[in-house]
Amino acid sequence: MKNLGRSMVSGLIGIGIGMIWFGVEVLFSLNGRNIASATVYVSSLIFWIFASFVIGIFFYVASFVFDKDDWSLRKQIIVNFFVCLIAWLIFAFALNDFVFSWLLLTEVIGKFLLMYAIAYGAYLLHLFHEVREINNKLKEK
Amino acid sequence: MEIKFNIDENFEKEKVEFWIRRMTDKVKRAARDLQVEQNFIWGYQENEAYRVEYRQIYSIQVENEKTYICTKDSNYQFKGRLYQVKTNLPSDFIEASRSAIINYHFIDHLEIIRNGNIDAVMKNGLRVQIARRKIKNLKERLGL
C-alpha cells in the first residue's frame, strides 16, 4: 500500500515534469511567433499527461536499485541509468513506429541525458547539502 | 509539553502515563527507553563473556554473518542476530543499514567517499557505511 502511494506520487511528479517539458517544446515550436498563436491538441495533451504519469511510475520502480545497500552509489546510478535509457529509447521509437534514424537516436539520447543530469544532479546536490548540514550539527554537539 | 513527576518510594509498582494528542516517534522512543530493563548485552572475546553496557557501544554490525559489538577500543562477538539485539536497544541507536546499528552520540562526522557511499566516521575512527535512506532518521534524531 505504501509502495502504491509512493508510485502514485512519483507518477504525479512525472506529470509535473512532463508538462513543463511539453510547455517548453510548445514554446520552442513557435519560432518567435506570438504565444497566442500556439496550438495544442487535446488528444496530444492527454497522451502526454498519461505518458508522463507512466514514466514517473517507471522511474520509481527503477529507483528500487537504490535500496541495494551492498551496491555503491556509482554502481546503482550506472544500472539505473541504462535501465531507464533502454526504456526511454523503446518509448521514443514506439512513438515513431520503430523507424530508425541516427538523428532521432541522437535527439532521444540527448534529451534523456539532459533530464537525467537535471534529476540526479539535483539529487546529489541535495545529498551533499544534507551531509554538510548533519556535519555542522555534529560539530555543535 | 508539561511533565509531572510523582515520586514516592512506597509505590509498589512504577508506572508512566502519557497524555498526548497523537503518537509520535519521539513518544515511542521515550516509551521504549523506559521499557528497556537491561542496560547491557553479553559480548564474547575468545569464549569469555563480558558485560558490554549500551552506553559504551559505538556500533553493532554484521560481518561475514557474525554480529560484532564495537566499543571505543574493543570488539566483541554477539552470539545472536542483529534483529534480536535491535529491539532492546535504547533510542541512542539508529539503524545505519541492514547490517549495522550505530550509537549516534559517537558519530564524529559523515563522509561521502569516492564510490558515492556515505561513511559515518565514529569518534574512535571506526567507519560504518550509512545507507542514504537512513540519513533521514539520523537528521530527525539530531533535531534537524
Side-chain angles (χ1 to χ4, degrees):
Chain A
M1 204 60 194
K2 205 174 173 183
N3 279 344
L4 185 71
R6 283 178 180 171
S7 63
M8 288 297 125
V9 170
S10 190
L12 292 174
I13 293 171
I15 291 178
I17 296 170
M19 288 305 98
I20 292 170
W21 199 264
F22 188 77
V24 170
E25 288 218 321
V26 169
L27 285 177
F28 274 114
S29 70
L30 287 172
N31 283 329
R33 282 181 288 131
N34 189 330
I35 196 163
S37 66
T39 310
V40 175
Y41 293 102
V42 175
S43 57
S44 169
L45 184 66
I46 290 171
F47 171 79
W48 280 106
I49 288 174
F50 180 72
S52 306
F53 183 69
V54 173
I55 292 168
I57 291 175
F58 179 80
F59 268 80
Y60 171 71
V61 174
S63 75
F64 283 168
V65 74
F66 293 107
D67 288 346
K68 284 192 73 67
D69 288 346
D70 48 339
W71 284 12
S72 68
L73 180 63
R74 189 189 295 153
K75 189 175 174 181
Q76 288 170 344
I77 288 182
I78 289 170
V79 172
N80 179 267
F81 175 83
F82 283 105
V83 168
C84 292
L85 177 62
I86 289 165
W88 182 252
L89 284 173
I90 293 170
F91 173 71
F93 276 95
L95 286 181
N96 290 281
D97 299 323
F98 291 101
V99 177
F100 179 83
S101 84
W102 285 107
L103 182 67
L104 178 66
L105 183 69
T106 315
E107 193 185 319
V108 168
I109 292 178
K111 277 183 180 174
F112 180 79
L113 282 174
L114 183 63
M115 277 196 301
Y116 204 86
I118 292 170
Y120 286 93
Y123 170 71
L124 287 175
L125 277 178
H126 173 70
L127 188 67
F128 275 94
H129 171 74
E130 276 196 317
V131 167
R132 203 179 312 125
E133 202 181 10
I134 290 170
N135 283 341
N136 288 339
K137 187 75 183 180
L138 287 168
K139 264 185 210 160
E140 282 171 23
K141 280 181 76 186
Chain B
M1 186 186 281
E2 190 183 317
I3 298 176
K4 188 179 171 188
F5 291 100
N6 294 309
I7 302 169
D8 186 340
E9 58 183 23
N10 297 319
F11 281 141
E12 270 184 33
K13 193 181 174 186
E14 287 180 316
K15 74 170 181 179
V16 177
E17 276 183 21
F18 294 95
W19 297 70
I20 50 176
R21 286 196 192 97
R22 62 190 166 87
M23 181 56 86
T24 61
D25 286 344
K26 203 172 169 183
V27 176
K28 277 184 197 165
R29 282 201 299 273
R32 202 177 69 181
D33 280 354
L34 289 164
Q35 282 169 322
V36 171
E37 283 170 8
Q38 194 175 297
N39 62 354
F40 68 91
I41 48 172
W42 291 104
Y44 291 81
Q45 271 181 346
E46 293 166 7
N47 290 327
E48 279 192 37
Y50 295 88
R51 274 168 67 122
V52 187
E53 287 186 27
Y54 290 142
R55 60 185 177 86
Q56 297 176 286
I57 299 173
Y58 278 53
S59 76
I60 304 172
Q61 28 185 342
V62 179
E63 276 173 39
N64 301 324
E65 296 184 6
K66 287 179 180 165
T67 311
Y68 293 98
I69 305 160
C70 307
T71 61
K72 190 180 178 188
D73 36 33
S74 296
N75 284 345
Y76 303 86
Q77 194 184 334
F78 174 70
K79 293 194 173 171
R81 300 277 183 181
L82 192 64
Y83 73 87
Q84 291 169 319
V85 69
K86 197 165 78 177
T87 48
N88 297 322
L89 291 171
S91 59
D92 305 323
F93 290 85
I94 60 156
E95 215 177 327
S97 66
R98 285 193 188 109
S99 56
I101 295 169
I102 52 175
N103 186 333
Y104 77 93
H105 296 296
F106 293 133
I107 302 174
D108 185 67
H109 65 279
L110 300 187
E111 203 175 297
I112 298 179
I113 53 175
R114 280 181 68 189
N115 64 6
N117 288 345
I118 302 169
D119 274 358
V121 183
M122 308 302 281
K123 285 181 176 163
N124 63 348
L126 176 75
R127 283 176 175 271
V128 183
Q129 192 185 315
I130 182 160
R132 282 178 302 282
R133 60 205 158 81
K134 302 291 181 190
I135 292 285
K136 194 181 155 200
N137 300 348
L138 176 60
K139 275 183 78 176
E140 189 191 294
R141 208 60 70 84
L142 290 168
L144 285 168

